[in-house]
Amino acid sequence: AQTVTQSQPEMSVQEAETVTLSCTYDTSESDYYLFWYKQPPSRQMILVIRQEAYKQQNATENRFSVNFQKAAKSFSLKISDSQLGDAAMYFCAYRSVGFDSNYQLIWGAGTKLIIKP
Amino acid sequence: DVKVTQSSRYLVKRTGEKVFLECVQDMDHENMFWYRQDPGLGLRLIYFSYDVKMKEKGDIPEGYSVSREKKERFSLILESASTNQTSMYLCASSPNRGPRQPQHFGDGTRLSIL
């Protein structure tokens, strides 16, 4: 069974600086998807970025980028130029592409990101 | 934009009550999910549904049941609420167009069982 591990329960960063959130996963599959979701305080969970395992190029979305290391089974999220609005819980998630998976997500425990003004 | 609406943001119920949590999505998504979110445990899947009247158990179905009579609505039922079911409940939906599609979430229901 697949597992997702976020080893940092909490991280803090100074506003305007860069922070990296870690995520590792365990799988025997070669094709899958990885996601980072953001959950601001008392607000809706939203997708930040996704990565397809068969693509070697790291995904980027504006100030958010990933460092996808398939062999190491690592999927870290880098946030550049941190802003106060980036303060949130960040969840890493894995999705199998197998037909019997029903496209369920396997979730990490989350990392709370604090932005210091 | 996809809209997933959960009927209550906050709910307080008593032990032994039957509790209904409602979720409605407006994007004609086939898949709907109920999660429970607890600190340090991430999101744990309770039940999901990939079609009307279809349901599948997730990782922690005990003490819960679900109903999907219409495509847009997915209800979570606590048959006899217990204090260990105090938690944040999240509903999500996704289209059945492949694993690349993200799940879209509601605002969550913070449920307290006294």
Side-chain angles (χ1 to χ4, degrees):
Chain A
Q2 296 86 12
T3 58
V4 176
T5 301
Q6 292 178 252
S7 58
Q8 307 151 318
E10 187 175 293
M11 293 279 286
S12 63
V13 64
Q14 207 71 36
E15 192 177 5
E17 293 189 349
T18 295
V19 64
T20 298
L21 307 184
S22 300
C23 174
T24 58
Y25 57 94
D26 189 27
T27 185
S28 59
E29 299 174 331
S30 59
D31 195 14
Y32 46 87
Y33 285 79
L34 297 163
F35 301 82
W36 278 99
Y37 280 84
K38 168 185 177 180
Q39 186 183 40
S42 300
R43 291 180 61 190
Q44 204 174 56
M45 180 96 74
I46 57 173
L47 177 69
V48 175
I49 200 166
R50 70 187 136 197
Q51 175 78 40
E52 295 150 88
Y54 63 86
K55 287 189 177 179
Q56 298 210 352
Q57 186 173 6
N58 289 325
T60 62
E61 289 286 344
N62 301 313
R63 296 183 296 106
F64 297 86
S65 61
V66 299
N67 183 7
F68 174 49
Q69 301 287 330
K70 191 172 183 180
K73 297 178 183 174
S74 171
F75 182 59
S76 59
L77 175 70
K78 185 172 86 171
I79 306 173
S80 304
D81 185 25
S82 299
Q83 300 174 2
L84 294 177
D86 295 333
M89 284 292 293
Y90 286 82
F91 292 93
C92 177
Y94 172 102
R95 175 182 280 160
S96 173
V97 302
F99 288 113
D100 60 349
S101 72
N102 286 299
Y103 302 149
Q104 293 179 60
L105 287 169
I106 311 295
W107 295 85
T111 297
K112 182 178 181 180
L113 180 62
I114 298 167
I115 311 294
K116 298 176 184 175
Chain B
D1 274 358
V2 176
K3 183 75 172 174
V4 179
T5 303
Q6 294 185 230
S7 52
S8 305
R9 289 296 300 271
Y10 301 94
L11 204 55
V12 180
K13 296 291 182 180
R14 297 208 171 271
T15 303
E17 281 192 69
K18 190 168 186 176
V19 181
F20 293 85
L21 302 183
E22 306 287 345
C23 176
V24 177
Q25 50 94 4
D26 67 357
M27 282 301 291
D28 202 36
H29 285 173
E30 290 81 8
N31 304 320
M32 296 189 75
F33 306 83
W34 274 108
Y35 292 97
R36 173 176 170 158
Q37 182 182 5
D38 298 290
L41 297 178
L43 277 69
R44 292 181 291 168
L45 183 65
I46 305 171
Y47 268 97
F48 68 97
S49 169
Y50 52 88
D51 201 352
V52 176
K53 295 191 186 295
M54 304 302 290
K55 60 185 179 184
E56 293 283 346
K57 292 180 179 179
D59 300 319
I60 52 164
E62 296 79 18
Y64 304 94
S65 62
V66 291
S67 172
R68 192 157 181 211
E69 296 297 318
K70 294 185 178 181
K71 191 175 186 180
E72 67 271 18
R73 186 180 297 271
F74 192 37
S75 303
L76 179 70
I77 304 154
L78 285 66
E79 298 290 344
S80 177
S82 63
T83 54
N84 62 13
Q85 292 178 309
T86 290
S87 187
M88 170 72 87
Y89 290 87
L90 297 178
C91 175
S93 73
S94 69
N96 204 21
R97 295 196 293 270
R100 188 175 185 276
Q101 300 299 322
Q103 291 183 9
H104 300 267
F105 286 82
D107 288 339
T109 296
R110 189 165 293 280
L111 175 64
S112 296
I113 307 296
L114 305 179

